[in-house]
């Protein structure tokens, strides 16, 4: 869906505003017959084929999402059933846009403790189903998508070199869904006031995002005992090109070492980093031995980073 298509459906916006403020040109919207589970199963099968892993070998499925098909049970068990991963534990991680980074940290722990050998980590969202399509402050920013990855034990010197995850729940109301949960259940009043849709204070989120992305970059490099020069590629959460550029500047990494695709997908929250990872691998920007820094922030607030050697 292009920016112009919002104008066509009566939203008071324009292509120039959206591109100038966010860098987004278009985003993808799931079709009426598609669900988070169907997209996640498709992405997972591609990742499993790529990694040479059968459904029967998966010990755990960690699904990062804030837009599940159902509020109960976990989105991960729906994917477990779709894949026929009969041996797998399955659960969700709700860390919004930092969800895939949190998921990889959990997977690393499962492998390190010997609880699992093979973990499927998925980041996926159907955000177009939880935004108010009449609210120009949010609807133009988000898109649908899923990325899937397989985490296994690696040789020494490869894999996750450092990880960092943080949160600040005092900022929760900057980006949240005020109703629909236990504190304010679905009722005629919440349906009427639309408080179950995503609500965001964009300018405040922007400020905290720039700050937390900078912190996450510093901690990732410190943790891995690497300088910015040693990073071959940065894959940041894709929310906004201005936030990405500020992050690269802070880290002292030139933009030609930063993967950007927000122009084509919008903000797909937990899916944005694994989608970018897949594209970067296929484009040959990650090869054997590449050192990649992942950095993200999201609702919560949550933020975090990983340095991974492939
Ligand atoms: N089209 C045209 N005008 C708009 C639109 C739109 N789609 N949306 C807002 N405006 C208007 C506002 O109403 C405001 O008008 P006013 O001055 O008459 O009140 C004006 O544009 C400026 O609004 P600001 O909010 O000040 O614009 P800003 O430069 O901050 O850009 C934006 C807004 C793009 C939302 C920016 O603040 C941003 O990117 N914030 C971060 C958002 C983000 O990354 N969210 C995801 C977090 S991660 C996660 O967990 C999902």
């Amino acid at each position: 869906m292009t920016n112009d298509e919002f104008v066509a459906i009566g939203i008071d916006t324009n292509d120039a505003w959206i591109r100038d403020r966010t860098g987004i040109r278009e985003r993808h919207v799931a079709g009426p017959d598609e669900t988070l589970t169907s997209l996640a199963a498709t992405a997972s099968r591609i990742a499993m084929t790529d990694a040479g892993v059968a459904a029967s070998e998966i010990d755990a499925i960690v699904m990062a999402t804030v837009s599940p098909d159902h509020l109960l049970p976990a989105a991960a068990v729906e994917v477990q059933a779709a894949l026929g991963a009969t041996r797998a534990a399955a659960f969700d991680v709700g860390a919004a846009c930092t969800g895939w980074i949190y998921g990889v940290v959990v997977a690393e722990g499962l492998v390190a403790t010997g609880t699992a050998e093979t973990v499927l980590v998925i980041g996926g969202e159907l955000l177009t189903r939880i935004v108010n399509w009449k609210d120009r402050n949010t609807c133009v920013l988000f898109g649908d998508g899923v990325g899937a990855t397989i985490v296994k034990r690696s040789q020494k010197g490869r894999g996750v070199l450092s990880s960092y995850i943080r949160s600040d729940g005092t900022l929760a109301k900057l980006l949240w869904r005020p109703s629909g949960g236990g504190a304010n259940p679905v009722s005629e009043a919440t349906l009427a006031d639309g408080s179950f849709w995503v609500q965001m204070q964009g300018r405040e989120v922007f400020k905290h995002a720039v700050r937390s992305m900078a912190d996450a970059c510093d901690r990732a490099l410190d943790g891995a005992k690497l300088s910015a020069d040693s990073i071959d590629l940065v894959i940041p959460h894709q929310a906004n090109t201005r936030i990405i550029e500020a992050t690269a500047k802070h880290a002292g990494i030139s933009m030609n070492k930063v993967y950007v695709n927000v122009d084509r997908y919008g903000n797909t929250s937990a899916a944005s980093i694994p989608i970018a990872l897949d594209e970067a691998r296929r484009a040959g920007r990650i090869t054997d031995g590449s050192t990649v820094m992942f950095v993200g922030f999201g609702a919560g607030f949550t933020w975090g980073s990983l340095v991974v050697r492939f």
Side-chain angles (χ1 to χ4, degrees):
M1 178 176 186
T2 63
N3 294 341
D4 285 335
E5 288 177 65
F6 284 99
V7 182
I9 61 167
I11 307 294
D12 180 15
T13 189
N14 58 77
D15 177 52
W17 191 97
I18 300 171
R19 269 192 293 126
D20 288 354
R21 304 285 175 124
T22 71
I24 300 167
R25 286 189 288 118
E26 58 189 35
R27 73 288 294 142
H28 293 252
V29 179
D33 298 333
E34 288 176 317
T35 60
L36 183 64
T37 307
S38 69
L39 296 186
T42 302
S44 299
R45 287 191 193 101
I46 295 168
M48 288 155 61
T49 303
D50 205 356
V53 164
S56 58
E57 292 173 74
I58 297 172
D59 299 307
I61 300 173
V62 182
M63 176 90 184
T65 189
V66 290
S67 50
D69 287 335
H70 302 99
L71 296 182
L72 181 78
V77 299
E78 301 200 51
V79 179
Q80 181 272 336
L83 296 177
T86 48
R87 290 179 50 234
F91 57 94
D92 293 355
V93 167
C97 305
T98 325
W100 181 82
I101 290 176
Y102 269 63
V104 171
V105 173
V106 170
E108 187 196 11
L110 292 171
V111 172
T113 55
T115 305
E117 282 295 317
T118 304
V119 184
L120 171 62
V121 182
I122 306 164
E125 306 285 3
L126 293 197
L127 295 176
T128 65
R129 306 243 171 118
I130 62 168
V131 295
N132 179 354
W133 281 72
K134 292 192 167 65
D135 177 10
R136 67 177 183 174
N137 292 301
T138 51
C139 70
V140 302
L141 302 176
F142 299 109
D144 298 334
V146 176
T149 44
I150 302 284
V151 175
K152 286 174 82 77
R153 191 176 301 281
S154 58
Q155 305 151 311
K156 204 165 164 36
R158 295 275 178 114
V160 179
L161 304 185
S162 75
S163 59
Y164 174 67
I165 47 176
R166 283 293 184 277
S167 67
D168 183 354
T170 65
L171 302 172
K173 292 180 184 176
L174 292 181
L175 178 49
W176 70 324
R177 298 177 72 186
S179 72
N184 195 4
V186 178
S187 65
E188 278 182 27
T190 62
L191 289 178
D193 67 16
S195 56
F196 52 88
W197 300 121
V198 170
Q199 302 191 358
M200 182 179 72
Q201 292 178 41
R203 203 175 285 184
E204 283 304 306
V205 170
F206 191 96
K207 274 194 274 180
H208 289 288
V210 170
R211 214 172 292 157
S212 52
M213 292 281 271
D215 174 52
C217 281
D218 294 347
R219 298 305 189 100
L221 292 173
D222 285 354
K225 298 187 173 50
L226 291 176
S227 67
D229 298 345
S230 322
I231 300 296
D232 298 306
L233 187 68
V234 179
I235 300 187
H237 169 49
Q238 309 284 319
N240 181 311
T241 44
R242 290 188 294 151
I243 297 173
I244 295 173
E245 282 163 6
T247 305
K249 192 170 168 204
H250 172 87
I253 294 176
S254 80
M255 280 301 289
N256 60 22
K257 280 190 175 182
V258 179
Y259 197 83
V260 179
N261 66 9
V262 67
D263 52 320
R264 289 177 284 123
Y265 299 101
N267 180 346
T268 57
S269 187
S272 92
I273 292 178
I275 290 173
L277 167 59
D278 181 54
E279 284 196 347
R281 278 187 69 231
R282 288 178 199 283
R285 293 191 65 181
I286 300 175
T287 51
D288 235 20
S290 293
T291 305
V292 180
M293 179 162 76
F294 300 93
V295 53
F297 73 95
F301 250 55
T302 60
W303 64 102
S305 50
L306 297 167
V307 175
V308 177
R309 182 156 298 138
F310 282 80

